[in-house]
Amino acid sequence: MLPITDLAGRLGGELHGDRIRCPGPGHSPKDRSLSVHFKPDGSFSVCSFANDDWMTCRDHVKALCGMPQFESRHERSIAPPSKRNVRIETKSEQQKIARLWREALVPQGTLVETYLNRRGLILPDDVAMRTIRFHPACPWQNEHGIVIRAAVMLCRYAPIIGDTDPDAPPMALHRTRLRADGSGHLGKKMSGSPLGKVIKLTPDELVTEGLFLTEGVETGLEAWKRGLRPIWATSTAGALRTFPVLPGIEHLSICADHDQAGLLAAQECGERWSGAGKEACIRFSSKLGNDLADEAWL
């Protein structure tokens, strides 16, 4: 296991006693809603103060710390649930995700467009509905563990590879809870597992020789506004870090967030692409903590 200080750096957080406080999956770099406790045997536990799904949090930590196949002795000692129960649970979650996406509305003229416009962003017509929708009353578990109804921007995760049916119900969603006046957001969460998936602002058929890649969907929309296309958003530094080399794509341009986790993720992704004989470059703000929407990039 890496030294605890290195793990804290990879997670983009800080040590608080024997625990690391860091951004939860899909949250901003300044977020500290996730607590991670690494044990002497190499296992770890997670606690989300934003009520994020614990399995998503574990996958997030594993991806950032480079241990996707990791399991603790405690996990190995527990008998796995029956396949039937797993299928039932998975099907139920997928049904909920499909229902939310089906219930969601055209985002133009709603809080989604207000939120994006107030950030200086535009909502392209060919991105709306296909990738971004508005749900006016999405279930949302607040900080007290109470499920409320909230106005949410929904973004559709699509498989990185094998996205054969873009009209199929999504397997995962990224949710951004919006303020009542659209002046900002009140948190971000995921439904379903984002592993092996991205938010495709540009459909597969328009991705030919090159691709731009960002973390956040808002950063992706800023890149879109600047004419940087085709563009996909990973939604987390961990997903950016493990983004695979794609056959047929010869150039990858990574628009990285200028923070430790973002730059480390971009560097590892870029090096993997370069090692595969592809062209890769990294763009980032000259100021620590900024992203593409904050100022001109290098």
Side-chain angles (χ1 to χ4, degrees):
M1 186 176 72
L2 293 172
I4 191 68
T5 51
D6 290 355
L7 293 170
R10 290 195 172 206
L11 293 172
E14 301 87 27
L15 276 174
H16 289 260
D18 60 349
R19 299 175 187 274
I20 299 171
R21 292 295 299 273
C22 60
H27 294 255
S28 71
K30 296 180 181 179
D31 173 72
R32 293 295 182 268
S33 65
L34 183 62
S35 175
V36 185
H37 180 212
F38 284 94
K39 302 171 185 176
D41 66 353
S43 64
F44 68 93
S45 60
V46 295
C47 177
S48 172
F49 296 100
N51 293 304
D52 291 324
D53 176 73
W54 72 271
M55 293 185 68
T56 301
C57 291
R58 285 188 62 84
D59 288 340
H60 172 72
V61 171
K62 291 176 184 179
L64 282 180
C65 294
M67 46 183 180
Q69 304 302 319
F70 177 85
E71 63 174 7
S72 69
R73 290 198 297 266
H74 176 65
E75 289 173 318
R76 290 195 295 267
S77 68
I78 300 175
S82 70
K83 291 184 178 179
R84 181 178 180 182
N85 288 341
V86 171
R87 285 199 298 270
I88 291 172
E89 183 179 349
T90 302
K91 185 176 181 181
S92 175
E93 178 70 9
Q94 290 171 0
Q95 287 173 337
K96 292 177 183 177
I97 291 170
R99 185 180 69 249
L100 287 177
W101 190 243
R102 188 172 58 250
E103 292 172 347
L105 308 174
V106 175
Q108 287 96 332
T110 70
L111 271 180
V112 168
E113 191 164 48
T114 302
Y115 164 69
L116 295 175
N117 288 168
R118 293 187 70 162
R119 293 196 60 169
L121 304 173
I122 59 172
L123 179 59
D125 290 340
D126 48 356
V127 174
M129 286 305 287
R130 175 176 55 82
T131 303
I132 298 176
R133 296 184 182 183
F134 172 62
H135 199 301
C138 183
W140 184 278
Q141 190 175 48
N142 66 18
E143 63 273 16
H144 305 296
I146 301 172
V147 177
I148 61 173
R149 295 283 177 170
V152 166
M153 179 174 72
L154 293 180
C155 296
R156 181 184 190 271
Y157 283 108
I160 296 173
I161 300 173
D163 187 16
T164 56
D165 184 4
D167 296 321
M171 303 294 289
L173 291 172
H174 188 278
R175 298 177 291 151
T176 302
R177 181 183 171 189
L178 304 175
R179 293 185 181 275
D181 61 356
S183 61
H185 68 80
L186 296 168
K188 299 184 178 185
K189 296 184 181 183
M190 300 174 188
S191 295
S193 173
L195 294 180
K197 306 176 187 71
V198 291
I199 298 170
K200 294 184 176 180
L201 299 178
T202 303
D204 277 13
E205 59 266 24
L206 298 181
V207 182
T208 53
E209 297 180 357
L211 178 66
F212 289 90
L213 196 63
T214 68
E215 277 190 49
V217 65
E218 293 90 348
T219 308
L221 288 172
E222 176 65 26
W224 179 290
K225 186 178 74 173
R226 298 186 186 200
L228 305 181
R229 306 171 206 161
I231 183 112
W232 293 352
T234 64
S235 79
T236 69
L240 190 154
R241 181 182 174 200
T242 58
F243 187 79
V245 177
L246 301 179
I249 306 301
E250 298 303 321
H251 179 82
L252 180 71
S253 184
I254 304 170
C255 301
D257 289 355
H258 192 171
D259 56 59
Q260 190 172 26
L263 292 179
L264 178 62
Q267 181 180 355
E268 294 198 18
C269 179
E271 288 176 351
R272 185 169 60 256
W273 275 67
S274 296
K278 310 282 188 175
E279 292 184 358
C281 69
I282 300 173
R283 302 174 177 216
F284 59 94
S285 165
S286 61
K287 185 176 180 181
L288 181 66
N290 280 6
D291 61 22
L292 182 60
D294 295 314
E295 61 174 312
W297 277 31
L298 300 175

